[in-house]
Amino acid sequence: MKKKLFHKITALTLTRRVIQAASLVLFPGLFISTFSAIKAIYTAVIGGSFSAAALAGQIVLAVSMLLITAIMGRFFCGFLCAFGTMGDFFWYIGTKLKLRRPKIGTKADRMLKKVKYVLLIGIILLGWTLGMELLSGTNNPWMVFGMLAKPESWTDTTVLLSIGMALLALIVAGSLYIERFFCRYLCPLGAVFAVVSKFRLFR
């Protein structure tokens, strides 16, 4: 039984890594695209300007990701999200470097996981009441991450010296010491999927 379970877990892990690698290469901006789609639909509904025809692309993307989550749980986070793949990579690097990692207690972990919900609510409120374009430009790490998927961005000082790049560097540093640091504690899209996955059909 243990031998079969070992092979099953290994096969699942291998499948996950292959899908993660493919998503990182083919869809590096899927995270920001999905979150932007959800935001566009939300602001259109609240503002009374919702048009299915005008938002067809965003609706298809958002509904697809939400359906996958409702059926399979946080499949997007574990398999498709390039940002999560980056976190896994740097966690692996930290393991190989044998870094001394902090032990986070159950209570502290539970409290920290609430931060992503606070960030989600903050983005929704600020994005609507102040009309801020929080998900555009180089002021956020998600957009910068997508930009860095293109080699020409590696020498672009507007990207490398941006606020988003600084935040991305902090996320990378956190990922070296805490497994899935951003995904567990800071990801606003993960907060959306965490709520939807409560009603998932399969684990």
Side-chain angles (χ1 to χ4, degrees), residues 86-92 94 99-102 104 166-186:
M86 177 196 70
D88 285 344
F89 173 75
F90 284 105
W91 169 256
Y92 173 78
L99 298 177
R100 294 186 62 183
R101 286 163 165 166
I104 301 176
L167 294 174
L168 181 61
L170 289 175
I171 291 170
V172 167
S175 299
L176 289 169
Y177 291 91
I178 301 174
E179 188 173 12
R180 295 221 132 197
F181 167 70
F182 176 79
C183 305
R184 291 167 66 184
Y185 302 135
L186 301 176

Side-chain angles (χ1 to χ4, degrees), residues 26-81:
L26 300 175
F27 314 112
L30 186 58
F31 174 94
I32 190 66
S33 297
T34 302
F35 197 60
S36 295
I38 293 174
K39 177 178 180 288
I41 294 170
Y42 165 79
T43 54
V45 170
I46 296 297
S49 60
F50 178 81
S51 170
L55 295 171
Q58 290 93 327
I59 292 172
V60 170
L61 178 58
V63 171
S64 297
M65 293 299 104
L66 291 174
L67 277 177
I68 289 174
T69 304
I71 295 172
M72 302 180 67
R74 295 172 68 177
F75 181 82
F76 176 89
C77 301
F79 288 79
L80 297 177
C81 181

Side-chain angles (χ1 to χ4, degrees), residues 114-124 182 185-188:
K114 293 180 180 179
V115 174
K116 61 178 175 283
Y117 297 101
V118 174
L119 288 175
L120 175 63
I121 293 172
I123 288 173
I124 291 173
F182 176 79
Y185 302 135
L186 301 176
C187 181

Side-chain angles (χ1 to χ4, degrees), residues 138-141 144 148 159-170:
T138 57
N139 288 328
N140 69 74
V144 169
L148 291 177
V159 174
L160 299 178
L161 300 179
S162 65
I163 294 174
M165 186 66 196
L167 294 174
L168 181 61
L170 289 175

